[in-house]
Amino acid sequence: MLDITELSRKSGVPASKLRYYEEVGLIRSVGRKGLRRVFEPDVLPRLALIALGQAAGFSLAEIRGMLGQGKEPSIDRDMLAAKADAVDRHIKELSALRDGLRHAATCTAPSHLECPTFQRLMRIALTRQGMRKKVRPTRQ
Amino acid sequence: MLDITELSRKSGVPASKLRYYEEVGLIRSVGRKGLRRVFEPDVLPRLALIALGQAAGFSLAEIRGMLGQGKEPSIDRDMLAAKADAVDRHIKELSALRDGLRHAATCTAPSHLECPTFQRLMRIALTRQGMRKKVRPTRQ
DNA sequence: CTACTACTTCAAGTCAACTTGAAGTCAAGT
DNA sequence: ACTTGACTTCAAGTTGACTTGAAGTAGTAG
């Protein structure tokens, strides 16, 4: 059993965030010691999953859906497979971006617009336009 | 030369977003026809680059930094290489997540906590904890 | 018993990236 | 000349994911 400060220290997640996560139903405390929340140690892997899900561009609501409320993830297998496919598509886009960046860093073509590698990058970028699955950075 | 409606139609980017992007210095209009902004066609690849950069988890400020203001990207090669490395690390995380998801979709182990694939996923997730490079979905 | 500290709640603030709405303006068609 | 429609500006609103601040309270040290 961990109080919120211990959990915060072990996980690296600020206490305010832990309270927020509990409030929105992502984690659960199993009781109180005085005022203080007490958590079971299995919230640690759960927090790791949450962080990973965020890194993949899922909203907290989606992550809550994936994790379920019980301890056992108990998740819909088809949905998981679909999510995996979505992540895979995202990876492909990012691979193209990485290659494009690396190329741009070394390419000495007169104009990027004339460079075939750049052209390919553009095509992939434009392909992406339709599918509205974006991602953006979080402050801090 | 394109007016804002044509640019919006060709790029799939709503006009309000185009105005916003101009306001924050991501794109430039080259003049007005009456009230209406007029753009050069080379903003089209630029918009594609912006979308791709967002997909990679960069903020608009970072993207503005990468693209520069002129037509020629004129970007710092070292920074580009560093960005490419960052994207590559992100890809590795996502690959782990994808594998974890696929595994979870098919795994019939009694408890995920006992499953070695899940364990591996956890280790990678926890590795990520230190580096504050997150990403989250955009509405619409 | 009193202080002190670290927690508690709850409301409000913040941030990026946009969108929406009101009120105005221009050029093109009738 | 007048209407129409699509643009214009500018301020304010929205969303998700938090953080911050004020005011309160519970366990512990002295």
Side-chain angles (χ1 to χ4, degrees):
Chain A
M1 298 297 169
L2 307 161
D3 80 2
I4 199 174
T5 322
E6 291 167 329
L7 180 58
S8 175
R9 195 180 42 71
K10 288 202 184 191
S11 65
V13 175
S16 67
K17 208 164 176 171
L18 294 173
R19 282 186 213 104
Y20 175 70
Y21 279 0
E22 187 182 13
E23 189 181 320
V24 299
L26 277 168
I27 59 176
R28 285 188 320 174
S29 54
V30 287
R32 298 287 175 116
K33 166 150 192 173
L35 281 182
R36 296 179 195 185
R37 286 159 178 81
V38 174
F39 296 93
E40 288 183 356
D42 64 356
V43 301
L44 276 167
R46 203 176 166 90
L47 287 172
L49 277 177
I50 293 168
L52 201 56
Q54 285 191 297
F58 296 117
S59 70
L60 293 186
E62 285 176 306
I63 294 169
R64 191 176 47 222
M66 294 191 224
L67 295 182
Q69 35 278 334
K71 338 189 51 164
E72 287 306 307
S74 76
I75 10 190
D76 173 12
R77 296 184 185 286
D78 291 348
M79 184 179 69
L80 280 184
K83 294 289 184 188
D85 290 348
V87 171
D88 206 36
R89 283 193 295 278
H90 192 185
I91 287 173
K92 291 219 166 48
E93 293 168 15
L94 289 184
S95 301
L97 174 64
R98 177 203 50 198
D99 295 345
L101 285 172
R102 281 210 213 292
H103 175 79
T106 55
C107 178
T108 52
S111 161
H112 282 300
L113 294 169
E114 296 168 16
C115 167
T117 302
F118 188 79
Q119 301 284 346
R120 190 173 60 87
L121 175 58
M122 285 304 90
R123 274 204 308 283
I124 295 166
L126 289 168
T127 303
R128 234 193 58 77
Q129 287 291 356
M131 41 147 88
R132 307 256 118 226
K133 180 75 188 177
K134 284 192 201 159
V135 115
R136 73 180 177 206
T138 303
R139 65 189 160 119
Q140 188 43 261
Chain B
M1 296 297 170
L2 308 161
D3 80 0
I4 199 172
T5 322
E6 291 167 329
L7 181 57
S8 175
R9 195 180 44 71
K10 288 203 184 192
S11 65
V13 175
S16 66
K17 208 164 175 172
L18 293 173
R19 283 185 213 104
Y20 175 68
Y21 280 181
E22 187 183 13
E23 188 182 320
V24 300
L26 277 167
I27 59 175
R28 284 187 321 174
S29 55
V30 288
R32 298 288 175 115
K33 165 150 192 171
L35 280 183
R36 295 181 197 185
R37 287 158 177 80
V38 174
F39 295 93
E40 288 183 357
D42 65 356
V43 302
L44 277 167
R46 202 175 167 93
L47 286 171
L49 278 176
I50 293 168
L52 202 55
Q54 284 191 297
F58 295 118
S59 69
L60 294 185
E62 286 176 307
I63 294 169
R64 190 177 47 223
M66 295 190 223
L67 295 184
Q69 33 279 332
K71 339 188 52 162
E72 287 306 308
S74 77
I75 9 190
D76 173 12
R77 297 185 183 285
D78 290 348
M79 184 178 69
L80 280 184
K83 293 289 183 190
D85 290 348
V87 172
D88 205 36
R89 283 193 296 277
H90 192 185
I91 288 173
K92 291 217 166 49
E93 294 168 14
L94 290 184
S95 300
L97 175 63
R98 177 202 52 199
D99 295 345
L101 285 172
R102 279 209 213 293
H103 174 80
T106 56
C107 177
T108 53
S111 162
H112 282 300
L113 294 169
E114 296 167 17
C115 168
T117 302
F118 188 80
Q119 300 284 345
R120 191 172 61 86
L121 174 57
M122 285 304 90
R123 275 204 307 284
I124 294 166
L126 290 168
T127 301
R128 235 193 58 77
Q129 287 291 356
M131 39 148 88
R132 306 258 118 225
K133 180 75 188 177
K134 284 191 202 157
V135 117
R136 71 180 178 206
T138 303
R139 64 192 161 116
Q140 192 45 263

